Amino acid sequence: MTAMSIPDSIRSSHDAMKALRRDIHAHPDLGFQEERTSDIIAAQLTGFGCDEVHRGVGKTGVVGVIRSGRSTHTIGLRADMDALPIQEENT
C-alpha cells in the first residue's frame, strides 16, 4: 500500500476540518472557559496520533507532543481558542 502524500492527506480531510472549524465558531467559549473547545482539540490531537496530549495548561490550554525519535529540535505552534463576548449583527 502506498502512503498518501501530505497534500493528498490535507485534501482528504478538508471537509472534516471545515466542519470542525464551523462547529467551534458556532459554539464559542470565552477566555478560561474553553472547556468544550479544549475537549474537541484534545480529541483531535489524540486522533491524529500525538504521542502525548496534555490538558489544563494555563487552565484550559491543550498541548500535543509528537516525537520523531530522530531529532532533538523542537517546534512550537500556538493558537488562541477563546472568543470575544460580542453579538454578531449578520446572518
Side-chain angles (χ1 to χ4, degrees), residues 43-65:
Q44 288 292 313
L45 292 173
T46 300
F48 291 153
C50 283
D51 297 311
E52 300 171 28
V53 177
H54 302 276
R55 306 280 316 266
V57 178
K59 189 170 180 188
T60 57
V62 181
V63 174
V65 177

Side-chain angles (χ1 to χ4, degrees), residues 22-58:
R22 287 180 174 163
D23 176 70
I24 290 172
H25 281 220
H27 302 91
D29 291 324
L30 298 178
F32 300 108
Q33 299 173 23
E34 306 97 333
E35 298 298 331
R36 181 180 187 277
T37 304
S38 63
D39 288 345
I40 292 169
I41 292 169
Q44 288 292 313
L45 292 173
T46 300
F48 291 153
C50 283
D51 297 311
E52 300 171 28
V53 177
H54 302 276
R55 306 280 316 266
V57 178

